[in-house]
Amino acid sequence: MPLCVPIKDMRDTAKFSALVESSPEPITVTKNGYSQFVVMRNDDYDALMQSEAKARLLARVALAERERAQGTMSDAFESLDRIAAKHGL
């Protein structure tokens, strides 16, 4: 169940820190009844960032595979040869 706390609860930093550390999911901090920001444990944030990085990498690999299958990609050495020829290197 999502946990929401008012921003005033952050005044007691030790209690708020303990709440964040013991919560299995992110905590939404509210101000005047509206969401202001979300707080989560550092390990959870690192795992989220790693998961997003893996998803971006897999998307790029899938794009490269599609380009290879369609024949719209070029080999790195071919690209370097074209650049060298174009610029007289």
Side-chain angles (χ1 to χ4, degrees):
M1 179 173 182
L3 183 60
C4 296
V5 297
I7 200 165
K8 68 178 181 167
D9 286 0
M10 293 179 66
R11 288 183 187 153
D12 185 352
T13 56
K15 184 178 176 184
F16 184 74
S17 178
L19 177 65
V20 172
E21 285 298 319
S22 66
S23 177
E25 56 188 36
I27 298 171
T28 301
V29 179
T30 60
K31 182 177 180 182
N32 297 326
Y34 296 98
S35 297
Q36 279 299 109
F37 52 89
V38 175
V39 180
M40 63 187 348
R41 292 181 297 214
N42 190 57
D43 290 343
D44 295 339
Y45 179 76
D46 289 343
L48 179 64
M49 292 296 102
Q50 187 175 23
S51 176
E52 287 181 10
K54 285 180 184 178
R56 285 192 308 270
L57 179 61
L58 289 175
R60 289 179 180 162
V61 168
L63 175 63
E65 288 295 325
R66 276 194 308 275
E67 289 176 348
R68 186 180 63 79
Q70 294 169 352
T72 58
M73 60 73 133
S74 62
D75 183 78
F77 294 112
E78 294 171 3
S79 296
L80 289 173
D81 289 341
R82 277 197 312 272
I83 292 170
K86 179 179 179 180
H87 297 287
L89 299 175

